[in-house]
Amino acid sequence: MTALDDPRAVSVLAHGIGAQHDLPLSPFYAFAGAFAALFVSFLALGLLWSASRFRGDRAGHPLPAAVQRVADARRTRIAARALGLAAALLVVLHLLLGPADPDRNPAPGAVYVLLWVGLVPASLLLGPVWRLLNPLRTLHLLGCRALGRDPAAGRPLPPRLGMWPAAAGLLAFTWLELVAPDPASSAALLLFLALYTAAQLAGAALHGARWFDHADAFEAYSGLLARLSPVGRRAADRRLVLRSPFNGLDATPQLPGLVATVCVMLGSTAYDGFSDAPSWITTVQTSALGRTTTATLGLLGAVALVAALYALCAGATRLLSGQLPHPLTAFAHSLVPIALGYLVAHYFTLFVTEGPRTVMVALGTDNPAPPEPVLGPGGIATLQVVAIVLGHVLGVVAAHDRSVRLFPPGRAVVGQLPLLVLMVAYTIGGLALLIA
């Protein structure tokens, strides 16, 4: 049986080969290696890194002028918009006219695999690509041109809005993916896409194209992951540059809702990890509240737990280091590589098996078998652990550089202790979901 045979297709797909708990890896060596990596990196940074080295969006080496011209050319942008709009129309047509059986309809795989998971490598390699491909931006642009209206025209966005709409959109999508009774059904996907499109276009009609920068869930998702891309833009002259991913991460805007957005990314992936545990499956199936309500509470609880731990850490950091104007957003950027590590650990196998299968179905192959994974179970387990640990180490580096910039010299290291405890807690949780 392929993963999409189950009504909860995406949750099964995300677990790759079998359950995470079957992966052949020693818990002792995984936890010991993770702790060693975190503590060694923390101590080394405290001893050797006494001044901030990251310069945000001021850093980078310019790419050749020819690359800049091609990237910024009007034809390139038109081609990207056309590609995004054509892909969206094909998905909708498959949902409306294609087979009801998700094994023979490429639309569920296109949404849950090629879009949701495929944005991870695409954004890491190329930057915030969804901003160019976003079919809703294209529809808004075409509507404005038909009405003779400036796409940028509209009411100013409320200062407190920030990324809160994007966080809500991400939560709604992950609910559909992980909780909805039949996430791969055409009806469920069409309803979500219709409601999401209506909300986004209504917001853009009121506030202009800048609405998508803050409110489109997939643009926020792609944009945050793109902070770790080696390709970025310099703020002063908008030049395309090659940069350290840490500089891109350091330039993450400290907007309201940033913490919520990253916590949804982390919490939903964590919920995906434990939703296949036998104890949780039994709880969901036997709960007096019903399966959907119980699963919804589980998803919300996972996001809330991630957020609560981070909020406690931010408060403790403020107490130890002295006055810190915005403790919640000051270190939120350090959660992005952790979220990336979780995404790679949980969705790598899904992407390399169900991604090609989705493409084969779209090209007309009837119910093809997914290709064999490129790594065996041992290789997958190693990749998952390395992804989670490396994500946390990168988070420690990003947090340390920010702390030596913000805190007095005598408190920079002490002020990071709550962050280190948070990283350890997240690491324990992430590894436990994989191998416990």
Side-chain angles (χ1 to χ4, degrees), residues 112-255:
Y112 293 128
V113 182
L114 299 183
L115 172 60
W116 178 242
V117 185
L119 274 179
V120 176
S123 301
L124 287 176
L125 292 174
L126 303 174
V129 292
W130 191 246
R131 196 178 192 281
L132 292 176
L133 297 170
N134 190 350
L136 300 183
R137 273 191 182 271
T138 304
L139 290 176
H140 175 253
L141 176 63
L142 294 175
C144 288
R145 287 184 176 176
L147 297 173
R149 177 182 172 184
D150 180 3
R155 298 180 186 178
L157 290 167
R160 295 184 179 181
L161 182 71
M163 299 177 69
W164 282 107
L170 277 177
L171 184 60
F173 179 78
T174 53
W175 180 91
L176 174 70
E177 178 194 8
L178 302 172
V179 174
D182 196 4
S185 71
S186 296
L189 279 167
L190 282 171
L191 179 60
F192 173 82
L193 293 176
L195 292 175
Y196 187 81
T197 298
Q200 291 296 317
L201 292 181
L206 186 63
H207 297 289
R210 70 178 68 86
W211 167 264
F212 297 109
D213 295 330
H214 297 267
D216 186 277
F218 299 101
E219 282 200 15
Y221 176 69
S222 173
L224 286 174
L225 294 172
R227 291 290 168 186
L228 289 164
S229 171
V231 179
R233 284 188 183 271
R234 203 160 51 192
D237 53 11
R238 305 301 298 163
R239 283 296 304 271
L240 283 175
V241 295
L242 284 177
R243 66 186 183 188
S244 163
F246 285 114
N247 283 312
L249 196 61
D250 187 65
T252 305
Q254 297 182 36
L255 298 173

